[in-house]
Amino acid sequence: MITSIPKNTPLGDLPLAIASMSLGRAWVQDLEEKLDAAGRAGYHGVEMYWEDLVYAAKRFDPLATETSQEAIIQAARWAKEICDRNDLEVLVVQPFLNYEGTLDELTHAKQLVKLRLMFQVAKILDTDLIQIPSQMLKEGTTGDFDSIVADMKEVAVLGLQQQPPIRFVYEAMAWGAHIDTWEDIWRVVQAVNLPNFGILFDTFQIIGRVWGDPTSRDMKVANADQAMAESLERMRQTPGLVEKIFYIQLSDVEHLREPLSESHPVWKDDMPPRMQWSRNFRTFPCEDGNCLTPLTETVRTWFHDMGWRGWVSMEVFNKSMESPAADVPRIHAERGTKSWHKLLKELERA
């Protein structure tokens, strides 16, 4: 298992992963086909999406749900065999959703039951990492900082009690209900102050919040370039941050022909605009039609200015993932590796 990566490692030698979800949605693309495609494309690892395991569990129990312990454990063992066959490591199990700040005690307890199942799955898949996106539900939750920290410390302590210990990586969703910036995630990570609790940097989630606005004609917030430059400078100047970045995700987004509004074909009244942007229009970095202009500068900041080295995971999230075409896993896997090599060339040119 790749854990420690020397600071002088060339970028082209960093371990590359892809999110299993990005190779096709679980209800239309078989997990085995997706993992085989990742292996053939040369990835070192995958982010194992919980949805994929739930649908794989239906092989063993047609009525399986996301909390069907026995079937999901069988699915995890089956998936591990396929990963081994393809020389793929499982980088992380993700996501552990909508936990922090939950007010209802019963809901809170049910989430902990799921977390304990995720612990078992992580061990089977031989990974020590679980990803937590920031809370996306406003109803029934609180944004009280101390409450969020208490909940995150609770899961981190539970992780430390596992053998071997489980780490958690916390990510700011650009549309998060209470936390939507990397700075707020960093405050929580510092307050939790445990060795197994770190931060996930995602180009889309950071740039899409600081710089981007899908409801704007130019897809940018006011003073976008200045805001992004200031955000990157704060990253450079934050002591201890680089050691707490457990891995990074790279994704881009299409430049929309028309801003998101109620008249847009994909509009949903119950979904924040940045979430709609993410779910429908994300691409791999440096693909044609991208919108996140500061992407290269952001990645350069992490790799060159901050000297970060670790796992890199490619992520895409759009309607093409829902296509039932048999070649979707192959095409997406190849798009991801091509994107990574193109980004490396962009960094060299800069």
Side-chain angles (χ1 to χ4, degrees), residues 210-231:
V210 175
W211 185 90
D213 177 4
T215 66
S216 170
R217 178 63 60 180
D218 61 1
M219 302 288 110
K220 296 163 61 174
V221 301
N223 300 314
D225 296 333
Q226 179 180 346
M228 195 66 222
E230 291 173 352
S231 182

Side-chain angles (χ1 to χ4, degrees), residues 50-51 53-55 57-58 61 63-74 95-96 106-107 109-118 120-121:
W50 195 254
E51 176 186 274
L53 291 173
V54 173
Y55 275 83
K58 296 181 185 297
D61 177 2
L63 300 179
T65 68
E66 66 172 15
T67 56
S68 297
Q69 180 171 326
E70 184 176 343
I72 287 178
I73 286 175
Q74 286 181 285
F96 180 53
L106 180 59
T107 301
K110 287 181 177 178
Q111 286 289 78
L112 287 182
V113 170
K114 179 180 177 181
L115 180 62
R116 290 187 177 94
L117 177 55
M118 294 182 84
Q120 294 182 65
V121 166

Side-chain angles (χ1 to χ4, degrees), residues 31-47:
L31 180 57
E32 183 171 15
E33 295 295 327
K34 296 196 291 182
L35 296 175
D36 285 345
R40 287 192 297 268
Y43 290 92
H44 302 95
V46 292
E47 295 186 61

Side-chain angles (χ1 to χ4, degrees), residues 220-348:
K220 296 163 61 174
V221 301
N223 300 314
D225 296 333
Q226 179 180 346
M228 195 66 222
E230 291 173 352
S231 182
L232 294 179
E233 183 60 25
R234 288 193 295 273
M235 288 181 190
R236 298 184 189 102
Q237 300 300 324
T238 300
L241 175 61
V242 69
E243 290 80 13
K244 280 292 192 176
I245 303 173
F246 285 178
Y247 76 100
I248 65 171
Q249 289 177 330
L250 301 181
S251 62
D252 217 313
V253 69
E254 296 176 30
H255 187 97
L256 304 183
R257 294 180 180 178
E258 60 176 291
L260 285 180
S261 67
E262 293 182 1
S263 63
H264 199 284
V266 304
W267 182 264
K268 292 184 178 180
D269 291 335
D270 61 346
M271 188 179 288
R274 283 187 173 92
M275 187 175 185
Q276 298 182 49
W277 202 24
S278 170
R279 290 292 183 265
N280 293 286
F281 301 106
R282 281 166 76 174
T283 67
F284 292 112
C286 298
E287 291 190 302
D288 293 340
N290 66 17
C291 176
L292 298 184
T293 303
L295 188 144
T296 303
E297 182 60 29
T298 298
V299 178
R300 184 187 302 111
T301 295
W302 300 343
F303 288 147
H304 296 327
D305 300 343
M306 297 168 63
W308 183 84
R309 292 295 186 273
W311 275 92
V312 175
S313 186
M314 310 303 290
E315 187 178 43
V316 68
F317 215 136
N318 58 46
K319 289 296 184 182
S320 66
M321 294 156 46
E322 299 178 13
S323 168
D327 59 356
V328 165
R330 176 187 62 79
I331 290 173
H332 280 218
E334 292 174 356
R335 280 175 56 192
T337 53
K338 181 179 179 181
S339 164
W340 171 236
H341 291 299
K342 185 175 180 180
L343 179 59
L344 289 176
K345 289 181 179 179
E346 290 291 329
L347 293 172
E348 289 175 1

Side-chain angles (χ1 to χ4, degrees), residues 133-151:
S134 62
Q135 175 66 256
M136 289 180 272
L137 302 177
K138 287 189 176 181
E139 186 175 354
T141 68
T142 176
D144 176 72
F145 181 77
D146 291 339
S147 297
I148 290 172
V149 170
D151 286 343

